[in-house]
Amino acid sequence: MRSANTALALQTSVPQRVLLVEPECEGGPSLSCVLSIDGYVVDPCSTITDAIRSLNERPADVIVLDTKGVKDPAREVAAFASRLRTDPVLGRIPFVAIYDPGKTRPGGDVVLIRPFSAGELLVAIERALLRAERRALADRFEQTERLAMLGTIAASIGHEVNNPLAFAMGNFDIAEESLETLRADVEAACASASDEVKGRLLRSLETLVVCVEEGRSGLSRVRTMIADLAALTRRRSAEHRLVDVRRVLESSLRIAKGQLADHAIVTCEYGETSCIMGDEARLGQLFLNLLVNAAQAIPAGNAASNSIHVVTYQEDATVVVDVEDTGGGMSKTQLSRIFEPFFTTKADRGTGLGLPICRTIVDEHGGELDVQSELGRGSRFSVRLPAAFLDSFDRPAS
């Protein structure tokens, strides 16, 4: 029944799933039958409440809302349209509103007045899908423009920040050299000191060593984060070396410790894994993003009742890192968009760049980034990276 030109335009962009909100049929073929015969996959609902619940469980490509039997169709359709617009995912789904003649008709991408033929219904759906496709093209164009602007800004920031970063890193080099002399002096002083003084001096020295190491690591992260913005708009070559993912994870966990503590108890389960070939700084940023993301999915203040579980293991030639949280989880409609730049489920707290950056880093390493999530039951992000088999489970020296 579809027109040849319209079907050709849609064949690569319309997965064919229709959410049909239709009252109980009292004789005659239902709209569901008409759509099914034409090849659409139909998810039928009888109420708007059921429709919202269905959309949160399974995305749809178009909604058909039949107002037959509704006392105040204008108000119902307006309320439905408003409810869709409040959700960043659902608000992108086009819908066709069907009215009886003479009724007020606000809302809906396309309006269809009863009586109508099966062909007119199918054309109305195709028109709604085409409008949605035009909006998607406009969004992608805007996204490309914003990414290009970010690349320019990142280059400018990188130029301005590199000099003070180099200065700070130079100071850390000097501090590390001084620590070696200080260590010798402390050990000499400890020879004649009391046990209490000796313990205090050694603890202070080790604290200073850790602070210098973590300070250097933090500056390296700043440099990496600036590069991440540029990496979203262009590929950059990186020198890959043997990397132990456990060591990178432990470093990321130390850096994120302050942000994780108020949200959940962190547990780690490190299985034996081979090294991978990678950029340690980039991988550190990947794991840091996933850890902070997990923490932000859990409301602060009840850490004892929530967990972030980090697991490493190996499947044949693949090293796997799972980061699992007990946060609020995501609906299937949200999952379909989480790797889009600028899309965020964190309202005004997120930039929508964290997960796209994570995927970019994983892609650079020839791996995969998978996610499993369910509303109210948390999320699990799985990083899968190709192992570098030298000797079984071999690790570079620390």
Side-chain angles (χ1 to χ4, degrees), residues 44-340:
C45 296
S46 58
T47 67
I48 288 177
T49 300
D50 289 340
I52 296 297
R53 185 182 301 112
S54 177
L55 286 171
N56 282 322
E57 293 175 354
R58 181 164 53 181
D61 301 292
V62 64
I63 301 166
V64 176
L65 176 59
D66 188 357
T67 64
K68 182 179 180 180
V70 177
K71 292 183 179 180
D72 190 347
R75 184 180 63 82
E76 291 290 335
V77 173
F80 184 61
S82 176
R83 172 63 183 84
L84 293 179
R85 286 194 296 269
T86 62
D87 189 288
V89 177
L90 303 185
R92 296 164 62 96
I93 304 175
F95 76 94
V96 177
I98 301 174
Y99 295 90
D100 289 322
K103 299 289 185 179
T104 307
R105 303 186 297 273
D109 293 281
V110 176
V111 170
L112 191 60
I113 306 299
R114 197 181 276 100
F116 52 83
S117 66
E120 289 171 328
L121 171 62
L122 297 173
V123 169
I125 291 174
E126 291 171 356
R127 285 175 57 200
L129 288 166
L130 283 171
R131 290 186 181 184
E133 180 63 19
R134 285 197 294 269
R135 287 198 297 267
L137 287 172
D139 288 346
R140 285 196 288 271
F141 177 77
E142 179 184 355
Q143 187 179 98
T144 301
E145 293 272 302
R146 293 172 73 183
L147 287 174
M149 180 180 65
L150 273 178
T152 301
I153 293 173
S156 176
I157 292 175
H159 178 74
E160 294 296 326
V161 171
N162 275 337
N163 285 338
L165 273 179
F167 177 77
M169 292 293 278
N171 278 279
F172 275 110
D173 290 338
I174 296 171
E176 286 181 337
E177 292 174 3
S178 299
L179 278 174
E180 293 303 316
T181 303
L182 180 60
R183 184 185 296 275
D185 291 342
V186 168
E187 290 174 351
C190 287
S192 57
S194 66
D195 288 343
E196 181 182 353
V197 173
K198 180 179 178 180
R200 187 165 60 246
L201 286 172
L202 290 176
R203 285 194 298 271
S204 297
L205 177 63
E206 291 308 314
T207 299
L208 187 57
V209 169
V210 171
C211 288
V212 170
E213 290 177 349
E214 294 302 326
R216 174 189 285 278
S217 179
L219 287 179
S220 178
R221 299 288 188 232
V222 171
R223 180 175 288 166
T224 301
M225 284 187 285
I226 294 171
D228 283 338
L229 295 177
L232 281 173
T233 58
R234 57 181 169 81
R235 290 288 183 184
R236 70 183 185 92
S237 59
E239 185 177 353
H240 286 192
R241 297 184 175 88
L242 282 176
V243 176
D244 177 8
V245 294
R246 179 179 359 187
R247 187 173 64 189
V248 180
L249 274 168
E250 289 173 344
S251 174
S252 297
L253 282 164
R254 286 194 296 269
I255 294 172
K257 183 177 180 180
Q259 299 183 63
L260 305 180
D262 291 338
H263 296 264
I265 295 174
V266 180
T267 58
C268 299
E269 184 181 340
Y270 296 131
E272 289 294 327
T273 60
S274 298
C275 289
I276 65 167
M277 293 298 295
D279 181 335
E280 188 163 335
R282 297 283 283 166
L283 290 171
Q285 185 63 30
L286 162 68
F287 296 138
L288 183 62
N289 279 352
L290 292 180
L291 290 166
V292 172
N293 212 51
Q296 292 178 346
I298 302 170
N302 193 21
S305 300
N306 289 284
S307 67
I308 296 173
H309 191 45
V310 180
V311 183
T312 66
Y313 56 97
Q314 187 153 333
E315 291 181 346
D316 298 325
T318 301
V319 174
V320 185
V321 178
D322 289 344
V323 178
E324 186 170 4
D325 66 70
T326 57
M330 292 172 282
S331 68
K332 291 185 178 180
T333 49
Q334 291 172 327
L335 280 174
S336 67
R337 295 191 59 201
I338 58 172
F339 293 113
E340 293 181 16

